[in-house]
């Protein structure tokens, strides 16, 4: 607890709390966004699908306040008076107006939740025998405020004062005066609230010590890069307000930095704020795609599909008419693309030679499923002086292509063996003729969809497979993905369009992949045991304890967001995230990471390549300026770093200046 706050609490006899934005948090960016959220229910109740309820409700409140001031010089109104004005404006009968008021009360209850930080302060007060009061400027009935407090665990207090009951407000100081009169004017008093005038200035005028609690939303948007990231998101979409509200309440209620100050809850908060919205937005899109395309099932490709299947099953289970048959499909670039090799053509050799990290010729051959030790002579024929020669230059890659051509027979033989087992496994999962299925993956190239489709089509036993991806790059057409044979769509960008989302993900493709990663090893191939069961053979090269712990905690935070969002969606079924809302926090993170994000995430090792052969590098790390002694190599490394913004954030001012000069 804050030392100054604790000192003030210890000195007080009575502690009073503001209610909204202090003791109680709404899962909304702005209180008035509640009217957007309840608009579909209001339309259903009135039988008017086009009614603009939100602006009508705001106008009715202003009308009621104007009347109260003009007639009685009162600054507060009641919910009943607001709906009387709405009934007059929309020509509603009293029953309709009352029904809408009850919908609003129910909506308030649904979006309100306890502020954990203030609740801890409240419990401290209870333990130390402080007298407690709650004071609120609100048009809601006092009984509703009492219910909200009870639901949030504030069940012990001497007084609850609501301006809707007395028509006295904190903003004029009258409600503070009434509170003091009710609980004893001579008591030492501390008031805690979020409004500088109503809670702090007016409280002090009435002899109270005060403690200012900054609104979570104000604290969240106070960081320039955060507020800028939200500027493109549609302002009057309820899901935008919900995402902002949930994030702000989660990561700023205790007054921590929006990015996390230490490791105590960094990964969970990061997963909640940055990954959770992306998971939900992508999954809602998947649900709609599967429904529109009338799929029989969705297949989630290992490994990135593991967490997405969990999210999909959770959201689809609460969504009417959603496709509910899902499968987790063993596979990887290595397992599917190697098994698909038949002729070893130029495309196959290009795949076998792919990657930006430095491997030896022997490692390239081992990735292809061939024991290089049995083919030593082929290395010399191809032009390598040793199997352990590192492949770096254009001449080296020319030798590598010749090497693969020399080894065509063993490569094809291994591919045939792997393909036979893989095809039996695919049939066992239900990938058979006559079915319409979606194949879910992060994406980028779509080569695994192509390999699956071609293998199943060649044996005349394939379903109609449509790829559903986070994104596909502009060079996907060259790989044959955008083709009637390989139908697909993508959530963020398809074939590199729209370019804004492609450029966003390009800021750190490997970092984005980490968000979807699993804590199991990558699949090298599928094997069948003596009992006829299919088992994946996994690599263990990417199972570092730090990586596993980070992914586990990150995704736990993301799933907590999913659960919180789903709780609201169950009450407001029309709620749906836009791409802007789902990616706003991701945009801020990829381009302007905090020091904590750059450090914790940058320290995670990433394996570049496929199969069991990986070149391990950290996602982001500052380079020693001693590398200037080898400027050409240094420039290559800088340009091929996974996450430039994370690397730069970790470097000193001098390092960042050198990086810029070396890469411009």
């Amino acid at each position: 607890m804050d030392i100054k706050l604790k000192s003030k609490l210890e000195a007080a006899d009575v502690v009073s709390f503001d209610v909204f934005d202090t003791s109680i948090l709404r899962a909304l960016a702005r209180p008035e966004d509640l009217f957007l959220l309840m608009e579909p229910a209001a339309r259903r109740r009135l039988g008017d699908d086009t009614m603009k309820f939100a602006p009508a409700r705001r106008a009715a409140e202003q009308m009621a306040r104007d009347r109260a001031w003009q007639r009685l010089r009162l600054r507060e109104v009641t919910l009943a008076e607001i709906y009387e004005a709405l009934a007059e404006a929309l020509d509603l009968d009293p029953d309709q107006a009352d029904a809408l008021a009850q919908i609003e009360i129910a909506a308030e209850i649904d979006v309100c939740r306890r502020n954990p930080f203030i609740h801890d302060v409240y419990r401290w007060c209870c333990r130390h025998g402080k007298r407690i009061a709650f004071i609120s400027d609100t048009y809601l009935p006092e009984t509703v405020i009492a219910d909200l407090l009870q639901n949030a665990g504030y069940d012990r207090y001497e007084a609850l004062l609501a301006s809707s009951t007395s028509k006295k407000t904190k903003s004029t100081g009258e409600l503070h005066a009434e509170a003091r009169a009710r609980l004893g004017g001579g008591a030492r008093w501390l008031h805690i609230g979020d409004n500088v005038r109503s809670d702090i200035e007016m409280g002090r005028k009435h002899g109270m010590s005060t403690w200012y609690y900054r609104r979570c939303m104000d604290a969240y948007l106070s960081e320039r890069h955060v507020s800028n990231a939200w500027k493109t998101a549609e302002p009057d979409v309820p899901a935008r307000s919900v995402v902002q509200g949930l994030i702000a309440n989660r990561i700023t209620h205790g007054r921590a930095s929006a990015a996390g100050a230490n490791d105590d809850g960094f990964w969970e908060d990061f997963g909640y704020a940055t990954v959770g919205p992306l998971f939900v937005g992508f999954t809602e899109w998947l649900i709609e795609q599967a429904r529109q395309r009338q799929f029989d099932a969705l297949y989630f490709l290992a490994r990135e599909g593991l967490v997405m299947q969990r999210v999909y099953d959770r959201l689809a289970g609460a969504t009417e008419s959603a496709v509910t048959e899902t499968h987790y499909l063993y596979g990887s670039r290595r397992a599917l693309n190697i098994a698909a090799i038949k002729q070893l053509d130029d495309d196959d050799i290009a795949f076998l030679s792919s990657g930006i990290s430095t491997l030896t010729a022997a490692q390239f051959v081992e990735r292809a499923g061939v024991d290089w030790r049995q083919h030593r002579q082929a290395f010399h024929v191809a032009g390598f002086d040793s199997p352990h020669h590192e492949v770096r230059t254009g001449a080296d890659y020319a030798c590598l292509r010749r090497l693969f051509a020399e080894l065509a027979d063993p490569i094809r033989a291994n591919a045939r063996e792997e393909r036979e087992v893989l095809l039996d496994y695919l049939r066992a999962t239900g990938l058979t003729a006559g079915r319409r299925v979606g194949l879910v993956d992060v994406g980028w190239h779509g080569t695994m969809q192509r390999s699956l489709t071609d293998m199943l089509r060649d044996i005349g036993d394939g379903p109609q497979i449509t790829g559903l991806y986070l994104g596909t790059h502009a060079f996907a057409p060259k790989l044959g993905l955008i083709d009637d044979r390989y139908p697909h769509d993508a959530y963020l960008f398809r074939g590199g369009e729209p370019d804004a989302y492609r450029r966003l993900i390009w800021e750190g493709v490997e970092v984005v992949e980490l968000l979807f990663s699993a804590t199991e090893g990558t699949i090298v191939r599928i094997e069948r045991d003596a009992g006829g069961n299919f088992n994946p053979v996994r690599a263990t090269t990417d199972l570092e304890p730090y990586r596993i712990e980070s992914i586990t905690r990150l995704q736990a935070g993301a799933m907590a967001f999913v659960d919180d969002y789903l709780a609201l969606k169950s009450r407001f079924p029309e709620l749906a995230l836009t791409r802007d809302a789902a990616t706003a926090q991701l945009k801020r993170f990829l381009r302007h990471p905090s020091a904590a994000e750059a450090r914790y995430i940058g320290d995670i090792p990433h394996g570049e390549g496929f199969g069991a052969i990986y070149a391990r590098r950290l996602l982001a790390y500052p380079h020693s300026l001693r590398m200037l002694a080898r400027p050409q190599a240094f420039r290559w490394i800088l340009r091929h770093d996974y996450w430039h913004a994370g690397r730069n954030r970790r470097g000193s001012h001098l390092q960042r200046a050198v990086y810029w000069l070396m890469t411009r």
Side-chain angles (χ1 to χ4, degrees):
M1 185 185 296
D2 181 89
I3 295 175
K4 289 182 66 175
L5 173 59
K6 187 174 182 181
S7 176
K8 290 189 174 190
L9 288 169
E10 289 172 341
D13 301 316
V14 179
V15 179
S16 58
F17 298 88
D18 173 47
V19 177
F20 293 107
D21 295 321
T22 304
S23 305
I24 298 290
L25 301 177
R26 290 183 175 99
L28 295 169
R30 305 172 302 179
E32 61 267 27
D33 291 338
L34 183 78
F35 312 142
L36 290 170
L37 202 58
M38 59 178 285
E39 189 168 77
R43 288 175 173 176
R44 286 193 296 272
R45 179 61 182 82
L46 298 181
D48 184 348
D49 292 338
T50 62
M51 181 190 68
K52 300 294 185 182
F53 173 80
R57 168 61 179 79
R58 290 193 293 268
E61 181 174 342
Q62 188 59 53
M63 184 189 302
R65 291 189 182 281
D66 291 344
R67 285 177 175 174
W69 179 251
Q70 292 165 3
R71 295 173 180 176
L72 301 170
R73 288 295 186 265
L74 294 175
R75 297 182 182 274
E76 190 56 278
V77 295
T78 65
L79 189 66
E81 290 166 343
I82 292 171
Y83 275 91
E84 286 175 9
L86 184 68
E88 181 180 329
L90 299 181
D91 193 25
L92 306 177
D93 62 46
D95 288 343
Q96 289 176 312
D98 182 64
L100 292 178
Q102 294 306 310
I103 290 173
E104 179 169 336
I105 289 171
E108 281 281 15
I109 292 171
D110 288 334
V111 302
C112 287
R113 64 270 332 275
R114 168 197 302 175
N115 182 337
F117 176 81
I118 295 297
H119 191 261
D120 285 346
V121 176
Y122 161 81
R123 290 193 301 171
W124 187 95
C125 293
C126 292
R127 290 195 304 270
H128 290 79
K130 305 298 180 180
R131 302 173 68 192
I132 298 170
F134 288 92
I135 309 175
S136 180
D137 280 351
T138 179
Y139 49 74
L140 290 170
E142 189 172 300
T143 54
V144 173
I145 304 300
D147 288 341
L148 291 173
L149 291 171
Q150 178 72 29
N151 294 343
Y154 301 101
D155 52 5
R156 291 171 54 190
Y157 51 87
E158 287 190 39
L160 167 60
L161 295 94
S163 59
S164 58
T165 299
S166 64
K167 295 300 180 78
K168 299 175 182 177
T169 67
K170 288 185 298 177
S171 62
T172 63
E174 295 174 300
L175 202 57
H176 288 299
E178 181 176 329
R180 296 216 63 154
R182 189 181 301 187
L183 273 74
R188 295 175 299 175
W189 197 296
L190 171 65
H191 180 70
I192 299 172
D194 70 285
N195 189 290
V196 173
R197 172 173 171 75
S198 298
D199 291 307
I200 307 306
E201 293 178 0
M202 299 310 297
R204 288 173 182 170
K205 281 188 177 181
H206 285 77
M208 298 176 173
S209 173
T210 61
W211 193 76
Y212 175 60
Y213 180 83
R214 193 180 189 187
R215 287 183 68 239
C216 292
M217 202 65 221
D218 293 341
Y220 174 56
L221 294 178
S222 66
E223 295 189 13
R224 176 170 58 91
H225 295 308
V226 172
S227 60
N228 287 343
W230 282 101
K231 283 182 178 177
T232 59
E234 303 89 333
D236 290 327
V237 175
R240 174 189 191 272
S241 180
V242 165
V243 173
Q244 280 189 310
L246 288 174
I247 293 173
N249 294 345
R250 165 77 181 220
I251 65 178
T252 69
H253 68 262
R255 298 288 78 99
S257 159
N262 55 57
D263 186 45
D264 290 346
F266 168 81
W267 287 110
E268 289 81 2
D269 285 350
F270 173 79
Y272 189 98
T274 303
V275 187
L278 179 63
F279 281 2
V280 168
F282 185 26
T283 302
E284 287 187 331
W285 178 82
L286 289 174
I287 290 171
E288 184 60 19
Q289 289 290 313
R291 186 189 63 79
Q292 289 181 1
R293 297 172 184 271
Q294 299 180 334
F295 287 150
D296 297 305
L298 285 177
Y299 286 76
F300 292 81
L301 267 173
R303 295 177 292 170
E304 286 79 2
L306 183 60
V307 68
M308 287 311 304
Q309 185 186 28
R310 289 175 57 202
V311 178
Y312 182 92
D313 287 345
R314 199 162 296 187
L315 287 176
T319 303
E320 187 176 352
S321 73
V323 174
T324 56
E325 182 186 336
T326 65
H327 302 270
Y328 182 56
L329 190 67
Y330 294 145
S332 66
R333 288 174 62 210
R334 193 265 172 227
L336 297 181
N337 293 342
I338 295 291
I341 292 175
K342 290 188 174 182
Q343 301 301 322
L344 198 67
D345 57 21
D346 289 344
D347 287 343
D348 296 328
I349 290 177
F351 169 72
L352 295 176
S353 306
S354 63
I356 63 171
S357 295
T358 303
L359 301 179
T360 67
Q363 287 176 318
F364 274 105
V365 172
E366 189 175 339
R367 282 200 319 186
V370 174
D371 185 351
W372 63 269
R373 298 167 188 81
Q374 298 181 15
H375 304 278
R376 293 177 184 271
Q377 184 60 32
F379 290 88
H380 297 290
V381 172
F384 288 114
D385 55 6
S386 164
H388 305 297
H389 183 98
E390 290 186 343
V391 179
R392 292 178 178 273
T393 67
D396 291 337
Y397 277 98
C399 291
L400 183 63
R401 288 190 290 272
R402 288 196 296 271
L403 176 60
F404 284 132
E406 283 291 319
L407 297 175
D409 287 342
I411 289 173
R412 285 194 294 258
N414 173 74
R416 184 168 55 253
E417 291 178 9
E418 292 190 22
R419 184 165 59 249
E420 289 174 358
V421 177
L422 178 60
L423 287 171
D424 287 345
Y425 164 69
L426 295 176
R427 293 190 196 96
T429 65
L431 284 172
T432 55
R435 303 248 295 166
R436 298 165 58 91
V437 303
L439 186 69
V440 181
D441 192 23
V442 173
W444 316 144
H445 304 152
T447 56
M448 289 195 283
Q449 176 188 350
R450 186 179 64 175
S451 295
L452 269 176
T453 301
D454 288 349
M455 281 189 290
L456 291 168
R457 184 176 289 140
D458 285 347
I459 62 172
D461 195 27
Q464 182 177 334
I465 299 175
T466 300
L468 298 175
Y469 302 111
L470 189 68
T472 55
H473 287 313
F475 43 80
K478 298 178 182 178
L479 300 173
L481 179 59
I482 301 180
D483 186 303
D484 290 341
R485 294 174 299 167
Y486 314 109
H488 92 283
D489 207 343
Y491 175 54
L492 293 182
F493 54 94
R494 183 182 190 272
E497 296 295 336
D499 185 59
Y501 284 108
R502 180 200 62 79
R503 286 187 288 108
L504 170 63
I505 299 303
W506 205 252
E507 299 280 351
V509 173
E510 292 79 9
V511 178
V512 174
E513 290 175 354
L514 171 75
L515 309 182
F516 291 84
S517 191
T519 57
E520 57 188 29
T522 186
I523 294 171
V524 178
R525 62 184 181 277
I526 309 297
E527 288 187 347
R528 182 164 31 207
D529 62 24
N533 300 307
F534 297 99
N535 301 303
V537 176
R538 300 184 184 277
T540 59
T541 51
D542 56 350
L543 295 179
E544 295 89 349
Y546 178 66
R547 180 184 176 89
I548 291 173
E549 180 189 5
S550 302
I551 291 170
T552 300
R553 293 176 57 189
L554 176 157
Q555 292 182 356
M559 295 307 296
F561 177 90
V562 171
D563 289 341
D564 286 349
Y565 178 85
L566 184 57
L568 289 169
K569 192 176 179 73
S570 67
R571 305 299 298 174
F572 306 99
E574 291 83 4
L575 196 61
L577 261 62
T578 62
R579 286 188 302 181
D580 275 354
T583 58
Q585 185 75 6
L586 178 72
K587 183 189 308 179
R588 195 279 311 158
F589 155 67
L590 286 176
R591 291 175 173 162
H592 304 286
S594 68
E597 288 167 339
R599 182 172 72 256
Y600 287 124
I601 294 167
D603 280 346
I604 294 178
H606 174 75
E608 196 286 317
F610 60 86
I613 307 300
Y614 276 83
R616 311 300 292 162
R617 287 195 289 145
L618 301 185
L619 284 171
Y621 60 102
H623 300 287
S624 169
L625 296 185
R626 286 179 292 183
M627 295 186 69
L628 283 168
R630 299 168 55 211
Q632 194 169 10
F634 192 20
R635 186 176 292 109
W636 188 94
I637 289 172
L638 289 172
R639 286 175 174 166
H640 288 86
D641 275 340
Y642 294 130
W643 182 27
H644 293 181
R647 175 202 66 198
N648 294 343
R649 187 69 172 86
R650 300 185 72 174
S652 65
H653 291 297
L654 176 59
Q655 284 173 311
R656 291 198 290 271
V658 170
Y659 299 160
W660 181 80
L661 287 171
M662 291 291 292
T663 56
R664 69 176 184 154

